[in-house]
Amino acid sequence: MLDTADADRLPSTVPENQKFTIDSLIEATGLLDDSTKMDWITVKNGSTTDTTIDKGEIISSVVYQDSLLSNGGLFNGVKNTGFDSSDQRDSSFNLESEKVMTYTGTDGSHLVGNDYLLLDVNGNYTSNSTDSVMCVFSDEDYLIPNPAFSNYVEAQGSLINFNSGQVSTKSQIRAVGSKISTSAGLSYQIAVSTDITSGGESAEGVVKTRFAGSINEARDKKTTTSSKSKSKNPYANDWNKTAATNTWKDETDVAGNITLLQKSFDYKSGLKL
């Protein structure tokens, strides 16, 4: 068995699932205040009130926020948000939101907006038969425990004193799954361009994006057991020592006349990608 650093294991959903959709169509001239917010925590082998993460416990936390606020102007926008708390596969998401909008300020008015996505998945090591995997390089039926991990990623897109233009965004998060091979996932896309319907040559305002992550992984390391050891499994270990860390941050600030701005962030973490 080769030494490897591990990755996210998602908690499975609870027996009772929820689904909801929110669809908005706004065509207005004047003041605008629109926002959506969701906080979602799912725990396997534990409780949402736990202050420590015990052996075999997995916790996923999701934060989603989007907001638009203007003090006047012409606004035209469509927003579709859907949530499904059931177990997902790598091709689907628990939360998806898309919006497309155009804005033109009048008499000094402007638009401010913000999208924020956070996915935080933490798990202690586990050695039970449900969450562990077989070692294909061993002649004996050893179960390889899955080590501890703590992974945190976030994405943000902001409009500041936005005077005119077209904006589209897409947000996706996957935070629960019943199969150990299902990866955690977060995806965000934003595009800013000229509103051709207004006859302008470019969008105008300030646009900022921020993508960041912090990854901490233990290692499924084969250890040598002594003849006095009660366990014959050479993979039996505490599995809670940090073996890999990775932090990153990507930031973009654009101000003035914007002909085109496109940014996308796609994150997956799992045992098998």
Side-chain angles (χ1 to χ4, degrees):
M1 177 68 179
L2 298 176
D3 292 355
T4 60
D6 216 316
D8 286 10
R9 303 184 307 277
L10 290 178
S12 56
T13 191
V14 294
E16 183 177 347
N17 300 137
Q18 294 81 39
K19 293 183 179 182
F20 66 77
T21 59
I22 302 173
D23 300 322
S24 302
L25 172 60
I26 301 175
E27 297 178 1
T29 301
L31 304 179
L32 171 69
D33 187 352
D34 178 75
S35 65
T36 302
K37 180 179 180 180
M38 188 187 78
D39 297 282
W40 180 39
I41 300 175
T42 305
V43 182
K44 180 180 180 181
N45 300 326
S47 167
T48 57
T49 60
D50 290 344
T51 57
T52 59
I53 301 177
D54 296 326
K55 174 183 175 182
E57 187 172 352
I58 307 173
I59 301 176
S60 70
S61 300
V62 170
V63 175
Y64 171 75
Q65 300 173 355
D66 81 69
S67 62
L68 293 169
L69 181 67
S70 77
N71 58 351
L74 285 68
F75 180 89
N76 190 329
V78 177
K79 182 173 71 172
N80 304 110
T81 301
F83 173 74
D84 181 353
S85 68
S86 64
D87 290 325
Q88 303 296 309
R89 297 186 178 183
D90 275 352
S91 59
S92 58
F93 295 89
N94 297 105
L95 174 70
E96 294 190 84
S97 183
E98 293 187 66
K99 64 173 177 275
V100 179
M101 60 188 181
T102 59
Y103 176 78
T104 302
T106 57
D107 300 325
S109 65
H110 58 267
L111 174 75
V112 295
N114 186 65
D115 293 336
Y116 180 72
L117 292 76
L118 179 147
L119 176 61
D120 187 10
V121 187
N122 298 269
N124 207 339
Y125 80 99
T126 179
S127 57
N128 62 56
S129 59
T130 301
D131 292 327
S132 300
V133 296
M134 300 296 295
C135 178
V136 297
F137 297 104
S138 174
D139 294 332
E140 302 190 45
D141 293 333
Y142 292 137
L143 286 171
I144 313 306
N146 292 307
F149 64 94
S150 178
N151 298 334
Y152 172 102
V153 292
E154 61 182 355
Q156 186 172 18
S158 302
L159 306 175
I160 303 172
N161 295 337
F162 194 74
N163 297 318
S164 64
Q166 177 174 296
V167 181
S168 61
T169 65
K170 183 176 183 179
S171 306
Q172 298 174 307
I173 297 178
R174 179 174 52 254
V176 298
S178 60
K179 295 185 177 181
I180 196 171
S181 59
T182 301
S183 63
L186 183 149
S187 177
Y188 179 71
Q189 301 172 23
I190 182 171
V192 180
S193 60
T194 306
D195 176 15
I196 58 175
T197 62
S198 67
E201 297 181 356
S202 62
E204 183 180 347
V206 179
V207 181
K208 296 185 176 184
T209 63
R210 182 179 186 273
F211 309 142
S214 176
I215 308 300
N216 294 273
E217 302 283 357
R219 183 180 290 278
D220 52 350
K221 180 180 180 183
K222 179 178 179 179
T223 60
T224 303
T225 56
S226 67
S227 58
K228 296 181 181 181
S229 176
K230 294 182 181 180
S231 174
K232 295 182 179 181
N233 187 343
Y235 301 97
N237 203 351
D238 54 8
W239 308 96
N240 61 358
K241 297 179 180 179
T242 303
T245 62
N246 183 10
T247 60
W248 73 85
K249 181 171 65 174
D250 176 278
E251 294 182 318
T252 299
D253 293 6
V254 180
N257 296 322
I258 305 170
T259 303
L260 178 64
L261 169 65
Q262 293 181 327
K263 293 282 289 189
S264 65
F265 174 56
D266 186 62
Y267 167 83
K268 292 178 68 176
S269 179
L271 292 170
K272 187 177 182 181
L273 298 178

